[in-house]
Amino acid sequence: MIVTVTMNPAIDKTVDVEILERGGLNRIKHVELDAGGKGINVSKTIHEIGGSSIVTGFIAGNTGKIIKNVMDEWKIVSDFIEVSGETRTNTKVFEKQGDLTELNEPGPFVQEKDMEALLAKLEGYADKDTLFVLAGSVPCGVDTDIYKRIIEMVHKKGAKVLLDADGELFTNAVTAKPDIIKPNRIELEQYAGMDYIASEQELFRMAKSLVEDGIETVVVSMGKSGALFLQGDYQVKCPGLKVKAHSTVGAGDAMVAALSYAWDKKMTAKETVTLCMAVSAGAVTTIGTKPPTREMVDDLMEQVVIEELK
C-alpha cells in the first residue's frame, strides 16, 4: 500500500505566455488548472500508470473541497484532515523559450490538534506493507522536523518512507534514515552546503555517502542530464531522454511516483530505473502537472539507456 502525504496541497494554475514582461502587460495564451501539491501529483501519476494509493494531508476551504472532488473524479482514495483557512493556489508562468516562474502561496495555518490528528491517521496506516511518500513543503504552524517525526513513528511499525523534500525538512528528515530519497541536484548541493554547481562525480559521492549512512535507495534527478540511481551495490546513471518538453513542472513528482509504484510491485532495480526515467520524461511533455499516459511510458521505456557508475 502506498500512502502519499501532502501537507500543503494546492490548485496549480499554469499559464503560458510568449515572454514574461516584468512590470508590464502580459497576455496569457493558455491556462491549465490542476489539483496539485507534490504528494497529490505523485498519486495521480501512480493512478495513470496502473497503480493505486491513498492521498492524505490537510485541506481547507473551497479550494480544499475542489481538491477532494478532483480526487473523487480520479477515483483516488482520499483521507484528508480538514482545517480552517483556505488551501493555496500556486501560479506557474511558463514562457515559450522554456523559462518557468513560480508564485506559490503559503497555505493555511495548521494547529497542533490538526497535526496530532494527521499523525494518528498515519500511524493507523503504518505496517510492513506500507510505503509513505512524504513530499513537498509544510504549511504555517508545522515544525520543520515533522518529516523526521513521521519517519521515526512509522518505522517502529515496520513501514517504509520515501522522502522528497528540501531545505530544513530534508536535512532534519535524513537523520531519521528514510528508506528512499529523491533529491534533485540543487537540493543535494544545498544539503552539502555548496555555493557552486556540483559536478556529476561530486553528486555521485554525496549520494554514495548517504547510502553508506543507511539510506537504502538514493536517486538524484539532474534535469536534462538524467539521473543517478544508487540502491546498495546497484549504482547507475541514466542520460536524459530526448523528448519534446512542454514544462518541467511535475517531472520530479513523476519520478517519485515511479519509485513508489516500483516498490509496491516489487520490481527489480533495473526495472525501477527504466520506469523512473520513462515516467519522468513523459511528464515534461504534458501540460501543467498532468501525468503521462501508460502508453507513452511504455514507448519511452524502450529509449532508456543505463550506464554503470564508478
Side-chain angles (χ1 to χ4, degrees):
M1 176 173 64
I2 303 168
V3 179
T4 66
V5 182
T6 309
M7 293 197 198
N8 210 9
I11 294 295
D12 287 328
K13 182 177 182 180
T14 304
V15 301
D16 290 354
V17 298
E18 194 75 22
I19 299 174
L20 181 62
E21 298 288 351
R22 293 186 59 190
L25 175 65
N26 289 273
R27 298 195 182 278
I28 296 171
K29 299 172 66 177
H30 180 79
V31 178
E32 195 75 24
L33 293 174
D34 297 303
K38 293 181 77 65
I40 288 172
N41 292 340
V42 168
S43 281
K44 289 193 298 184
T45 304
I46 290 171
H47 174 84
E48 191 66 26
I49 62 177
S52 63
S53 64
I54 297 171
V55 178
T56 189
F58 301 113
I59 55 172
N62 290 327
T63 310
K65 289 182 174 66
I66 292 171
I67 289 175
K68 174 67 168 62
N69 291 339
V70 170
M71 294 299 95
D72 292 343
E73 290 170 7
W74 276 71
K75 294 181 171 55
I76 295 173
V77 177
S78 63
D79 191 9
F80 290 109
I81 300 289
E82 293 190 27
V83 301
S84 59
E86 191 71 34
T87 294
R88 61 192 180 144
T89 296
N90 292 340
T91 303
K92 304 171 189 301
V93 183
F94 186 74
E95 300 177 63
K96 185 176 181 180
Q97 78 273 24
D99 287 346
L100 176 69
T101 301
E102 300 190 62
L103 304 171
N104 290 354
E105 297 178 8
F109 183 90
V110 171
Q111 300 181 47
E112 182 63 27
K113 65 180 179 64
D114 300 321
M115 192 68 249
E116 292 303 321
L118 180 61
L119 289 173
K121 191 180 292 291
L122 298 182
E123 188 172 22
Y125 281 121
D127 65 32
K128 61 182 179 61
D129 296 319
T130 306
L131 174 70
F132 289 95
V133 178
L134 306 180
S137 64
V138 296
C140 299
V142 179
D143 294 334
T144 57
D145 69 347
I146 189 61
Y147 285 162
K148 176 184 178 182
R149 287 176 61 192
I150 293 172
I151 293 166
E152 291 172 343
M153 178 184 72
V154 302
H155 271 175
K156 290 177 182 177
K157 299 188 73 172
K160 302 290 187 180
V161 177
L162 191 165
L163 174 71
D164 182 21
D166 62 4
E168 288 185 51
L169 284 167
F170 179 84
T171 300
N172 293 334
V174 163
T175 64
K177 303 294 186 291
D179 305 276
I180 308 168
I181 62 173
K182 193 221 65 66
N184 61 31
R185 174 192 288 274
I186 294 173
E187 290 162 353
L188 200 54
E189 290 166 351
Q190 290 175 341
Y191 172 70
M194 293 180 169
D195 58 0
Y196 61 92
I197 298 175
S199 68
E200 190 175 293
Q201 194 61 35
E202 286 176 309
L203 292 174
F204 171 55
R205 285 199 295 268
M206 286 187 281
K208 191 173 182 179
S209 70
L210 288 166
V211 171
E212 290 170 349
D213 284 343
I215 297 174
E216 293 176 11
T217 301
V218 178
V219 178
V220 183
S221 53
M222 303 184 297
K224 293 179 181 179
S225 299
L228 308 178
F229 295 85
L230 291 82
Q231 185 174 8
D233 293 332
Y234 186 81
Q235 301 178 353
V236 300
K237 173 198 172 182
C238 292
L241 275 62
K242 297 187 183 304
V243 295
K244 184 177 180 181
H246 179 272
S247 169
T248 58
V249 174
D253 300 338
M255 186 170 284
V256 170
L259 282 166
S260 306
Y261 176 91
W263 178 90
D264 193 49
K265 300 300 182 183
K266 297 180 173 55
M267 297 171 69
T268 66
K270 184 177 181 180
E271 290 170 338
T272 299
V273 168
T274 304
L275 181 69
C276 284
M277 293 303 299
V279 175
S280 183
V284 305
T285 69
T286 66
I287 297 172
T289 56
K290 286 183 168 51
T293 64
R294 181 70 209 210
E295 182 181 13
M296 176 186 289
V297 170
D298 289 340
D299 288 341
L300 289 170
M301 286 174 69
E302 301 296 324
Q303 302 178 30
V304 176
V305 175
I306 300 176
E307 303 171 355
E308 185 178 351
L309 280 169
K310 298 179 181 177

